[in-house]
Amino acid sequence: MNRIAFITGATSGIGRATALKLAQHDFDIIINGRRNELLEQLEKEIKEQSTAKVYTLHFDVRDNEHVVKSIDSLPKEWKNIDVLVNNAGLAVGLNHIHEGEIDDWERMIDTNIKGLLYVTRKIAPFMVEKKHGHIVNIGSIAGKEVYENGNVYCGTKHAVDAISKGMRIDLVKHKIKVTAIHPGMVETEFSLVRFKGDKERAEKVYQGFNPLVGEDIADAILYSITRPEHVCINDMIVMATAQASSTIKYVE
Ligand code: NDP
Ligand code: 8X3
């Protein structure tokens, strides 16, 4: 059997690109997301493009009971997970703090922080037991810098940064690697979700600007998880050449 990678949020963007990429590099893949038809489509695509085996787990990372049940339901051989990519995440809304919507805040905190923790809590013990494994957390440049209206999203990604450091400390004696990858702007469904389906507003974010694409982050993930056993990439910030910081980008 190949090595096994478990990717949350694989129906779109970075997660989808990562599933396709790892499948072509001798990983069998467990894919997760809420949109079942997209998971089925991805499973089909992976099988057309590679010889990788695919296992689909359809659950919402915010629902711990469902996370536990789904991961428990994995056949024994699929629990032998080598790499966990905690990618599922989102920004919802872009408001000043006094105008923010509580429901948006809850969705971001529940997904980006609690969801990542729920999945890790289930999978890390498998890794501890075999003293081998690699957890890759997808943070953001928003977890390194804070920008106007970013308040709660930036808070959740700063939490991912801190939790990644904490995981690394707690898991070092179990020989488990922890990598945090912090992308700048990547053209995915991210802005469409942030602007609640407003396509025009989402498209404007990338107009005249040459952003990263999902495959760029998939490349960074692949690099991180294929280093020799004694090497761990702890932290990586990946930006488009046309972006200098959270707020400074070059628009033609
Ligand atoms: P997309 O919106 O394209 O993909 C997000 C993925 O997360 C989807 O597959 C979605 O699947 C999944 N997801 C969201 N909520 C849940 C949930 N509750 N349970 C399970 N899956 C969920 O965005 P990106 O690919 O850009 O985002 C991936 C990660 O990268 C996120 O953590 C994001 O914060 C981070 N990031 C993105 C950047 C960007 O500019 N795009 C920059 C820096 C970081 P489904 O809807 O089917 O559940
Ligand atoms: C996504 C990048 O700059 O929109 O995490 O926050 S940004």
Side-chain angles (χ1 to χ4, degrees):
M1 195 145 172
N2 287 332
R3 291 209 281 160
I4 297 175
F6 187 129
I7 303 165
T8 66
T11 57
S12 164
I14 294 170
R16 187 174 199 282
T18 303
L20 287 165
K21 168 86 62 188
L22 299 194
Q24 287 178 336
H25 288 82
D26 302 328
F27 282 89
D28 291 331
I29 315 287
I30 302 170
I31 50 175
N32 153 263
R34 293 166 301 175
R35 288 170 291 177
N36 214 13
E37 68 290 355
L38 294 183
L39 288 172
E40 282 168 13
Q41 210 175 301
L42 176 61
E43 177 167 355
K44 193 163 160 259
E45 218 172 301
I46 293 174
K47 287 180 173 162
E48 280 164 6
Q49 292 183 13
S50 72
T51 55
K53 295 194 188 77
V54 184
Y55 201 97
T56 293
L57 279 186
H58 173 230
F59 64 80
D60 184 325
V61 296
R62 293 171 297 178
D63 178 351
N64 189 40
E65 210 177 303
H66 203 183
V67 169
V68 169
K69 252 191 209 150
S70 297
I71 297 175
D72 280 344
S73 77
L74 281 170
K76 192 165 178 274
E77 66 275 18
W78 280 99
K79 285 185 177 142
N80 197 21
I81 294 161
D82 297 287
V83 176
L84 164 63
V85 183
N86 276 317
N87 164 75
L90 76 184
V92 201
L94 194 66
N95 303 305
H96 283 142
I97 196 73
H98 62 290
E99 291 163 340
E101 293 190 22
I102 301 290
D103 184 56
D104 295 348
W105 294 357
E106 316 246 58
R107 282 178 64 193
M108 290 187 277
I109 291 166
D110 289 350
T111 310
N112 301 357
I113 306 176
K114 291 165 73 179
L116 177 147
L117 289 171
Y118 295 157
V119 174
T120 304
R121 179 64 186 84
K122 268 314 278 179
I123 293 178
F126 301 152
M127 297 179 170
V128 167
E129 200 182 324
K130 60 180 184 163
K131 287 212 168 295
H132 164 82
H134 195 154
I135 299 173
V136 180
N137 293 328
I138 305 303
S140 170
I141 188 63
K144 299 287 187 182
E145 301 173 26
V146 179
Y147 51 87
E148 187 176 7
N149 292 317
N151 42 62
V152 175
Y153 177 67
C154 294
T156 66
K157 289 300 182 176
H158 274 70
V160 172
D161 193 31
I163 289 166
S164 302
K165 290 173 186 156
M167 284 184 186
R168 196 174 304 117
I169 293 165
D170 293 347
L171 296 173
V172 67
K173 62 175 170 294
H174 302 291
K175 301 188 174 161
I176 295 166
K177 301 187 192 189
V178 179
T179 297
I181 297 185
H182 306 278
M185 290 171 70
V186 189
E187 189 165 7
T188 61
E189 290 182 7
F190 179 85
S191 292
L192 195 63
V193 173
R194 170 171 256 173
F195 299 126
K196 304 177 185 179
D198 184 338
K199 235 176 150 185
E200 213 178 304
R201 199 168 168 204
E203 276 166 10
K204 269 199 194 127
V205 172
Y206 309 107
Q207 257 166 28
F209 167 70
N210 192 5
L212 297 170
V213 292
E215 287 73 16
D216 298 319
I217 304 306
D219 264 346
I221 294 170
L222 178 66
Y223 175 79
S224 306
I225 64 175
T226 51
R227 294 310 86 212
E229 200 50 44
H230 68 289
V231 179
C232 181
I233 307 293
N234 286 353
D235 209 42
M236 200 192 270
I237 297 178
V238 186
M239 308 275 279
T241 307
Q243 185 178 12
S245 72
S246 266
T247 51
I248 298 176
K249 61 178 187 178
Y250 177 67
V251 181
E252 290 191 69

